[in-house]
Amino acid sequence: MRRSRQEFRRSVRRRWFPNVFWLTTLFCGFVVLLLILFTSRERVRPTSRSVLFKRSYMQDITMESLNATDEMVNPNSITRKLNDQIQLAKAFVVIAKENNNLQFAWELSTQIRNSQILLSNTALTRSPLKLKESKNAVREMALLLFHAQQYHYDSATMIMRLKARIQNLEEQTSLATETSSKYGQIAAEEVPKSLFCLVVSLTTEWFKQSQLQQKPSVNTQKDSKLKDNDLYHFCIFSDNILATSVVVNSTSLNSKSPERIVFHLVTDEVNYAAMNAWFTINSFHGVTVDVQKFEDFTWLNASYVPVLKQLQDSDTKSYYFSGSNDGGKTPIKFRNPKYLSMLNHLRFYIPEVFPDLKKVVFLDDDIIVQKDLSGLFTVDLKGNVNGAVETCMETFHRYHKYLNYSHPLIRSHFDPDACGWAFGMNVFDLVEWRKRNVTGIYHYWQEKNIDRTLWKLGTLPPGLLTFYGLTEPLDPTWHVLGLGYTNVDSEVIEKGAVLHFNGNSKPWLKIGMEKYKPLWERYVDYTHPMMEQCNFR
């Protein structure tokens, strides 16, 4: 069928009613939604302001009822929050300075001061901080801390930078400690002018007055005492006249029977005349004193004594006296040449030095005696050779601290947790010593340590090896240590029989610990003519 032309077609009826309906519905819904939003906004705004005001007001009321301490432990403490901000800001100041951001560091510092002033005023008035008076300070600091994060001063960055700074400070501290130790060691090795003067004066007196060297009647009586095993025999190996004199004087003054005491002193050839002169001129309440020099011991030679043999080695001399062959890795305290002195190693040859004695008490020259020591000669050593006070109250003084346990010879023979003990006041049973050939044991370990791989230096490490399993612990009150380098409890000092000034701070040196010097000086006669002549004190 043929379609008609467009103008002759019948027009289609448009259905406009549904469209109008939907448009009207949408418009009404939109109006209602606007009304709801507007109404809710007007309702919430005054309510939230009211709540915030009430909270602030109630918080201030609550804080007013608290004292400053209670406010600090309160969950809403403004003081604590301000303190936390200050601590964080201080860390950011350091980091800002390291980044050369000086303007920001200044702003932080200024705000820190403002906050600190606020806290200071609060502390003076003893009243807690209120929100309204601290609001600005908290907000300003919070803004600065936010800016710090914008500068990438975040926690991770801060931790890394602080770790680097800590490492740098540790290196500086280590260097300062090493330097301090070095100069302390040098100071400890120096001979005071007054002491040098005393040695010279006494040596002159000894050779000037020949009668000091000739007292036949006294010498005959003294010789008999030197071999009498019913007496109390003490030995000291030293080149320090004043220190040795203090040991003898303090022992005699605090002894119940000073006439039964015999002191065997061994020194070197340089100080022999002076030592002899001092103990001949002065009397010590009936104590017998005998002086020898180790150069007179014919058995003391390189073929018998490993230390003397090692001293002939050029590498050993370089190691101990110049320290040039290990890049300075070994601490200076291990390089002290005094540890190579035979006066230090004679303690391992006591039976050879005193062949007629059965028991002897060894004393260092840096001790004082403040109680009667006769009880040491009746101590039961239970078949052991050495009686000593143990020092393993802390892990520091166990065997593993002194010996190289990476070496198989040390690891296979000695318990690393074995208790260390102290040289300086030791009771030696010389009968058992000879029976067990203790000096031979000492020689064995010295030969094994020729390359210094078992221990570094000193007499305590070889002593720990030599007397391992042969040491009987003594009551700690017999020997109190530490007065030359640390603080010691006053009650412990009062109860101690022997006080040991071990460490660099010897009481006769200027670097001696002032608090303990009087304990030592009370046994020094500063009114003695020779002491006054040499300007002691």
Side-chain angles (χ1 to χ4, degrees):
M1 184 177 175
R2 198 174 185 179
R3 292 188 180 184
S4 61
R5 291 172 59 182
Q6 186 173 356
E7 57 269 28
F8 298 107
R9 291 179 187 170
R10 188 172 51 183
S11 59
V12 180
R13 183 180 294 177
R14 297 183 180 272
R15 298 179 179 177
W16 56 271
F17 178 76
N19 293 335
V20 172
F21 174 77
W22 287 113
L23 287 171
T24 305
T25 303
L26 284 172
F27 176 77
C28 293
F30 181 72
V31 172
V32 171
L33 183 61
L34 286 175
L35 288 172
I36 292 172
L37 287 173
F38 180 77
T39 306
S40 62
R41 188 176 179 183
E42 290 298 318
R43 185 181 302 165
V44 169
R45 185 175 295 171
T47 304
S48 61
R49 286 178 179 172
S50 175
V51 170
L52 182 61
F53 175 78
K54 285 181 179 179
R55 284 180 182 174
S56 173
Y57 177 76
M58 291 302 295
Q59 186 171 346
D60 280 351
I61 293 296
T62 303
M63 294 305 176
E64 284 180 354
S65 65
L66 301 175
N67 57 35
T69 304
D70 291 337
E71 193 273 342
M72 280 289 290
V73 299
N74 191 284
N76 300 317
S77 172
I78 305 168
T79 304
R80 191 168 64 250
K81 182 176 181 179
L82 206 54
N83 269 316
D84 291 342
Q85 285 184 326
I86 290 171
Q87 296 306 317
L88 187 57
K90 285 180 178 179
F92 284 143
V93 167
V94 174
I95 298 174
K97 288 180 179 179
E98 288 182 351
N99 284 274
N100 206 28
N101 193 347
L102 302 182
Q103 175 63 28
F104 185 63
W106 178 82
E107 292 176 4
L108 279 170
S109 300
T110 302
Q111 190 56 44
I112 288 172
R113 283 195 297 273
N114 293 339
S115 297
Q116 288 175 335
I117 290 171
L118 185 61
L119 291 174
S120 177
N121 292 337
T122 304
L124 289 174
T125 58
R126 296 184 179 181
S127 60
L129 271 176
K130 299 177 183 178
L131 182 61
K132 60 183 179 182
E133 62 186 11
S134 60
K135 181 179 178 181
N136 289 336
V138 173
R139 185 178 68 247
E140 293 298 325
M141 184 68 85
L143 285 172
L144 287 174
L145 295 177
F146 174 76
H147 286 310
Q149 291 180 343
Q150 298 298 103
Y151 286 125
H152 301 290
Y153 298 164
D154 54 10
S155 298
T157 304
M158 186 172 69
I159 289 170
M160 289 178 64
R161 292 183 180 277
L162 289 178
K163 280 184 177 179
R165 187 169 183 82
I166 289 170
Q167 184 178 357
N168 183 44
L169 290 173
E170 286 177 348
E171 290 175 357
Q172 292 179 18
T173 303
S174 178
L175 180 61
T177 303
E178 185 179 348
T179 304
S180 174
S181 176
K182 179 179 179 179
Y183 290 124
Q185 191 74 57
I186 292 171
E189 292 174 19
E190 293 298 316
V191 178
K193 289 182 180 180
S194 53
L195 184 55
F196 178 76
C197 168
L198 181 63
V199 172
V200 173
S201 299
L202 287 169
T203 302
T204 303
E205 200 71 21
W206 176 258
F207 288 107
K208 186 165 60 175
Q209 299 186 32
S210 57
Q211 68 271 20
L212 292 176
Q213 306 174 35
Q214 298 174 357
K215 290 189 177 181
S217 59
V218 175
N219 285 340
T220 303
Q221 184 182 3
K222 187 171 83 170
D223 286 344
S224 63
K225 283 190 171 185
L226 297 180
K227 301 176 182 179
D228 188 350
N229 282 291
D230 291 329
L231 301 179
Y232 307 134
H233 293 271
F234 298 86
C235 66
I236 304 174
F237 308 130
S238 173
D239 58 0
N240 188 321
I241 295 171
L242 184 60
T244 304
S245 177
V246 167
V247 177
V248 175
N249 193 32
S250 62
T251 304
S252 64
L253 286 173
N254 292 288
S255 173
K256 297 176 181 177
S257 305
E259 70 282 354
R260 292 174 55 82
I261 294 176
V262 180
F263 266 97
H264 303 264
L265 311 182
V266 181
T267 187
D268 55 19
E269 193 163 18
V270 174
N271 294 279
Y272 175 71
M275 193 83 76
N276 249 320
W278 181 259
F279 286 100
T280 302
I281 293 171
N282 301 289
S283 61
F284 295 88
H285 309 282
V287 169
T288 301
V289 182
D290 179 60
V291 181
Q292 301 181 74
K293 55 181 177 179
F294 72 80
E295 286 87 355
D296 289 341
F297 301 150
T298 56
W299 49 267
L300 199 62
N301 52 66
S303 62
Y304 180 61
V305 178
V307 171
L308 290 177
K309 183 165 60 177
Q310 291 168 14
L311 278 176
Q312 296 175 355
D313 181 63
S314 59
D315 288 341
T316 302
K317 291 179 181 178
S318 175
Y319 178 83
Y320 289 130
F321 292 95
S322 67
S324 60
N325 62 348
D326 77 336
K329 294 178 182 177
T330 305
I332 188 173
K333 67 178 181 179
F334 294 125
R335 296 182 178 281
N336 192 342
K338 77 173 186 177
Y339 289 124
L340 294 174
S341 167
M342 279 313 304
L343 291 174
N344 276 285
H345 287 269
L346 276 179
R347 64 191 69 192
F348 296 104
Y349 298 96
I350 291 178
E352 284 90 340
V353 178
F354 313 113
D356 299 311
L357 299 183
K358 295 181 180 179
K359 182 174 281 189
V360 68
V361 171
F362 165 78
L363 297 175
D364 268 338
D365 63 1
D366 55 351
I367 64 105
I368 61 166
V369 177
Q370 59 178 13
K371 296 186 185 299
D372 180 64
L373 298 184
S374 59
L376 288 171
F377 293 87
T378 58
V379 170
D380 183 9
L381 296 182
K382 301 176 183 177
N384 288 307
V385 177
N386 174 30
V389 169
E390 292 183 329
T391 56
C392 60
M393 286 70 76
E394 303 172 9
T395 183
F396 177 83
H397 295 103
R398 296 189 182 272
Y399 269 49
H400 64 79
K401 184 65 180 180
Y402 303 99
L403 306 172
N404 178 19
Y405 272 86
S406 64
H407 197 290
L409 196 59
I410 295 293
R411 196 166 56 247
S412 61
H413 283 80
F414 304 99
D415 178 8
D417 290 323
C419 191
W421 44 267
F423 264 135
M425 196 290 297
N426 304 80
V427 184
F428 290 120
D429 185 334
L430 302 186
V431 175
E432 286 294 324
W433 185 311
R434 297 182 182 100
K435 186 187 299 183
R436 294 172 182 261
N437 190 24
V438 172
T439 302
I441 298 173
Y442 165 71
H443 285 171
Y444 171 81
W445 289 111
Q446 279 288 0
E447 293 284 0
K448 292 294 182 182
N449 194 46
I450 193 170
D451 56 356
R452 298 177 296 278
T453 55
L454 304 185
W455 71 87
K456 289 294 182 184
L457 191 62
T459 52
L460 182 55
L464 296 176
L465 301 182
T466 302
F467 295 101
Y468 185 72
L470 301 175
T471 300
E472 178 65 22
L474 299 180
D475 189 296
T477 57
W478 280 116
H479 188 188
V480 175
L481 296 104
L483 280 76
Y485 72 94
T486 189
N487 291 317
V488 184
D489 187 270
S490 57
E491 291 185 7
V492 174
I493 291 176
E494 186 178 351
K495 293 178 182 178
V498 171
L499 305 182
H500 198 164
F501 293 83
N502 56 312
N504 285 336
S505 302
K506 304 300 184 188
W508 56 85
L509 299 174
K510 289 184 178 180
I511 61 172
M513 298 182 72
E514 293 296 332
K515 63 189 296 186
Y516 299 134
K517 273 189 176 183
L519 296 171
W520 185 84
E521 289 179 334
R522 63 187 177 188
Y523 297 108
V524 180
D525 182 11
Y526 288 106
T527 63
H528 193 284
M530 285 193 169
M531 299 287 283
E532 291 181 342
Q533 177 186 333
C534 291
N535 295 317
F536 277 89
R537 267 229 205 251

